[in-house]
Amino acid sequence: MVPFSILDLSPIVEGGDAAQSFRNSLALAQHGEKLGFRRYWLAEHHGMPGIASAATAVLLAYVGAGTSTIRIGAGGVMLPNHSPLVIAEQFGTLESLYPGRIDLGLGRAPGSDQRTAQALRRDLQSDADRFPQDVIELMDFMSKEPRQPVRAVPGMGLEVPVWILGSSTFGAQLAAHLGLPYAFASHFAPQQLMQAIRIYRETFRPSAQLAKPYVMLGFNVFAADTDEEAQFRATSWQQAFVNLRSGRPGRLPPPVAGYRERVGPAENALLESVLSCSAVGSRDTVRARLQAFIDQTGADELMITSQIFDHAARLASYEIVAGVRGELSARA
């Protein structure tokens, strides 16, 4: 059975703050570790009222100190926002603190709007078009024998595993060309999922890091005791997603009954597209959807995300997912 992992956006809920989000993130990572999830990843976003993981490496250090076995990493660092040397030093520091537990997922999106990106970088000279070269430079900084004269300390020689993240065929092509594992953001942008998987697998070239293709896919799960409760819990994320796509980003709102009936055809079409890579329901419903998704994609690993307003309900959702994975493993 494929391993399951956790993607956390460290959501800031309405009525909460970043400090509470950080405590919840640590509790989720500890919960996932006990339940047998393989890895716990945080995503870099900036200027987002509902996402607290902007300083991704700093928050990973906090999570690493409170866990002991689960792999932790970035899913991902938006590399155009940073110099490769800075990321090599940050993740070299993490690898030195928590050896053998660190992953570095890299994306080429800004993780913010253009004004925020400019404030973050001071200028926009480092752009997404340089992403392939920046990935190669970053990997060289962490290699045992860097080709460049500048040294990443810490970082040099630590060879932190690098992943390419994407939501289009570009990332698939780059990951295949470099022989790196590929994580596809199907949990929010599923449109090119099957095409990207096919391109990656068909054009993959083995590397020192990876001998054969390895695909990890994002998947939303909102699990509860009943289908009705799960559908209710999922409305927090649905509201937040519609607000974001409508140019009104905010904190994660509490769930509301009958949300899908309140919004128009355009909003429902948007949600229907995104929910194609989701499971919303009871244990039996989630089991069936996960099995169908794995059968459809041949995923090597699933990265489960669960944007639920109530923290206890969120932990319970992951507990149901862990139980479902055990059942699927027994059948395999």
Side-chain angles (χ1 to χ4, degrees), residues 26-46:
L26 176 57
L28 175 59
Q30 292 169 333
H31 193 58
E33 184 171 79
K34 292 175 184 175
L35 292 171
F37 285 85
R38 173 168 288 188
R39 55 187 107 236
Y40 168 93
W41 280 9
L42 287 160
E44 176 190 349
H45 292 81
H46 299 278

Side-chain angles (χ1 to χ4, degrees), residues 88-89 91-93 96 141-143 152-160:
E89 292 171 341
F91 280 78
T93 298
S96 299
F141 276 128
M142 296 188 297
S143 68
V153 182
M156 185 179 71
L158 295 182
E159 297 182 318
V160 175

Side-chain angles (χ1 to χ4, degrees), residues 6-25:
I6 295 172
L7 175 63
D8 183 14
L9 298 183
S10 196
I12 305 175
V13 301
E14 289 186 7
D17 57 20
Q20 183 61 57
S21 298
F22 298 150
R23 291 190 291 270
N24 289 348
S25 288

Side-chain angles (χ1 to χ4, degrees), residues 5-11 28 37 187 219-224 230 233-234 236-237 252 279 303-311 313-319 321:
S5 293
I6 295 172
L7 175 63
D8 183 14
L9 298 183
S10 196
L28 175 59
F37 285 85
H187 60 293
F219 194 81
N220 299 292
V221 176
F222 304 91
R233 298 291 181 191
S236 293
W237 173 81
L252 187 68
M303 179 65 74
I304 307 296
T305 183
S306 188
Q307 291 284 83
I308 292 176
F309 179 84
D310 181 79
H311 180 60
R314 190 179 187 214
L315 296 182
S317 180
Y318 278 104
E319 192 164 343
V321 171

Side-chain angles (χ1 to χ4, degrees), residues 97-115:
L97 289 169
Y98 313 113
R101 294 178 57 203
I102 304 301
D103 299 320
L104 174 53
L106 300 172
R108 68 179 184 130
S112 59
D113 58 61
Q114 283 297 307
R115 286 181 297 180

